[in-house]
Amino acid sequence: MENNKRPESMQRINTPELANAFIDEQIAAIRAQVGDKKVLLALSGGVDSSVCAALLIKAIGKQLVCVHVNHGLLRKGEPEQVIEVFRHQMDANLIYVDAVDRFLDKLVDVTDPEQKRKIIGKEFIEVFAEEAGKQDGIEFLAQGTIYPDILESDGVKAHHNVGGLPPELNFELVEPVKFLYKDEVRVVGKTLGLPDGMVYRQPFPGPGLGVRCVGAITRDRLEAVRESDAILREEFANAGLEGKVWQYFTVVPDFRSTGIRDGKRCWDWPVIIRAVNSIDATSASIEEVPYAVLNKIVNRILAEVKGVNRVLYDLSPKPVATIEYE
Ligand code: XMP
């Protein structure tokens, strides 16, 4: 790959001043590269694509066409946040695609984790390519490739594992953050005015909640994952654990157990809480969440999440357990 080595002279971007200098440099470079042509970007709402989008919006405004695909596996509030930040606050050219039914229909009865990932990835490319086909005059494709993506792969970002570069989209690439490490991307994002919730968010897998709704995804169990995850995140934030714990989420496995609710026997799912610390995801240790915090989360999940009658706390480190369940 040409020009995929970070220049040795490049300073580590760790202050707003250095971030501003980088932003100015990239704005000039983007304008020089794309001129008055249009650029397409798949905007997931993750740190990398959001920072890439914000940079491009600053450089070329509405020549950037952002496509946000809601595949139904995003966390509670995520599509709304993308619309609020990019369409309303940054006045971006944002296409929101509600592809929820399309993805969930394809995933019915699919139990194999790799098959689930493949379907999500393939569908994502198809939806994105369809949207691209509706646009006139696109000549460039922007990607939030960052330096670790280049070091770890062949330099082509597998976009959050839900689809690489669509082969039929033969556009020239625009990759303004490709020499940045994650911490630098965050400093640049913060300097560009993106909200903390977007810039400092925890790692989130491309197939999203799909890998946390273990086995064949059903809409009710997926809702249980989404709602319990929202409660967990809210209570971690209330307890000051947000930004301190590396990754935390809930999982709903595909089995039921008996319980008793309002004097009647119920036959419901458990919710499993996972809260881990890690440096690079190759190993992980368990966060010792205070009992009172856990207790509050348990009570809220049991009271507020439909179809759930137990809450479990997974104490297994990686290895042997992986962080995700699939
Ligand atoms: P595991 O489960 O392998 O996860 O211990 C390590 C880290 O990778 C994330 N992860 C994924 N990220 N697509 C992604 O973009 C995926 O398919 C995927 N699977 C796992 C996981 O959240 C953890 O941070």
Side-chain angles (χ1 to χ4, degrees):
M1 277 261 161
E2 33 79 59
N3 195 20
N4 264 350
K5 196 162 180 320
R6 178 173 164 125
E8 273 172 25
S9 58
M10 197 169 149
Q11 246 182 307
R12 193 82 177 196
I13 301 168
N14 52 14
T15 64
E17 292 72 32
L18 288 170
N20 272 318
F22 172 83
I23 292 164
D24 289 345
E25 214 174 83
Q26 285 309 314
I27 288 176
I30 292 164
R31 287 182 182 156
Q33 185 185 2
V34 309
D36 60 359
K37 301 293 187 305
K38 287 211 266 179
V39 181
L40 193 70
L41 168 77
L43 176 59
S44 68
V47 186
D48 308 340
S49 67
S50 296
V51 173
C52 183
L55 250 179
L56 278 141
I57 291 163
K58 214 161 174 202
I60 56 168
K62 296 210 168 165
Q63 282 167 251
L64 176 72
V65 181
C66 303
V67 179
H68 178 63
V69 178
N70 181 358
H71 52 29
L73 306 167
L74 299 169
R75 288 173 292 196
K76 192 170 178 172
E78 279 186 325
E80 292 81 359
Q81 189 189 35
V82 168
I83 291 171
E84 170 58 27
V85 170
F86 289 97
R87 185 177 288 163
H88 298 143
Q89 294 174 19
M90 297 198 167
D91 196 28
N93 199 346
L94 173 72
I95 297 169
Y96 169 76
V97 188
D98 179 347
V100 175
D101 288 339
R102 189 166 161 171
F103 276 81
L104 296 187
D105 288 351
K106 285 256 156 62
L107 288 162
V108 169
D109 292 336
V110 182
T111 52
D112 177 63
E114 289 320 309
Q115 197 56 27
K116 283 165 75 173
R117 278 186 170 79
K118 268 195 199 129
I119 291 171
I120 295 165
K122 184 168 164 283
E123 204 57 27
F124 183 86
I125 292 177
E126 278 179 30
V127 172
F128 187 64
E130 276 171 33
E131 289 306 317
K134 292 180 195 164
Q135 301 295 315
D136 282 332
I138 303 274
E139 292 196 13
F140 295 88
L141 185 78
Q143 289 201 135
T145 310
I146 68 170
Y147 205 44
D149 300 325
I150 291 176
L151 297 178
E152 285 158 23
S153 70
D154 296 321
V156 176
K157 181 158 190 146
H159 238 299
H160 299 266
N161 297 9
V162 292
L165 186 60
E168 65 273 37
L169 298 180
N170 196 16
F171 301 134
E172 186 179 322
L173 287 181
V174 181
E175 297 179 302
V177 293
K178 73 173 179 178
F179 291 137
L180 302 192
Y181 288 98
K182 198 79 177 190
D183 53 301
E184 300 180 295
V185 178
R186 294 192 210 277
V187 178
V188 170
K190 178 105 181 113
T191 309
L192 283 164
L194 289 173
D196 283 1
M198 214 166 227
V199 172
Y200 298 108
R201 72 182 211 164
Q202 47 169 319
F204 186 60
L209 302 180
V211 294
R212 298 172 182 172
C213 187
V214 182
I217 297 171
T218 58
R219 290 178 191 239
D220 44 8
R221 228 155 34 82
L222 181 60
E223 252 350 87
V225 179
R226 194 175 346 255
E227 290 300 321
S228 57
D229 171 77
I231 292 171
L232 182 77
R233 285 190 288 136
E234 200 179 307
E235 291 305 329
F236 265 45
N238 288 341
L241 294 171
E242 191 183 38
K244 180 179 166 273
V245 182
W246 195 73
Q247 197 172 10
Y248 47 97
F249 54 87
T250 60
V251 176
V252 178
D254 191 11
F255 70 84
R256 296 177 197 247
S257 67
T258 44
I260 183 144
R261 185 185 295 282
D262 302 329
K264 281 196 216 108
R265 187 178 173 280
C266 57
W267 180 238
D268 287 335
W269 304 297
V271 161
I272 301 169
I273 295 172
R274 195 100 173 101
V276 300
N277 289 306
S278 180
I279 307 277
D280 57 6
T282 56
S283 64
S285 59
I286 301 305
E287 170 72 14
E288 291 185 25
V289 180
Y291 194 79
V293 177
L294 282 176
N295 210 26
K296 181 144 189 236
I297 293 166
V298 170
N299 289 335
R300 278 197 63 193
I301 290 176
L302 291 179
E304 297 172 36
V305 183
K306 246 177 102 188
V308 169
N309 64 359
R310 278 173 209 276
V311 182
L312 317 174
Y313 188 28
D314 183 349
L315 295 174
S316 324
K318 175 180 181 175
V320 175
T322 50
I323 295 174
E324 303 286 348
Y325 268 55
E326 290 191 330

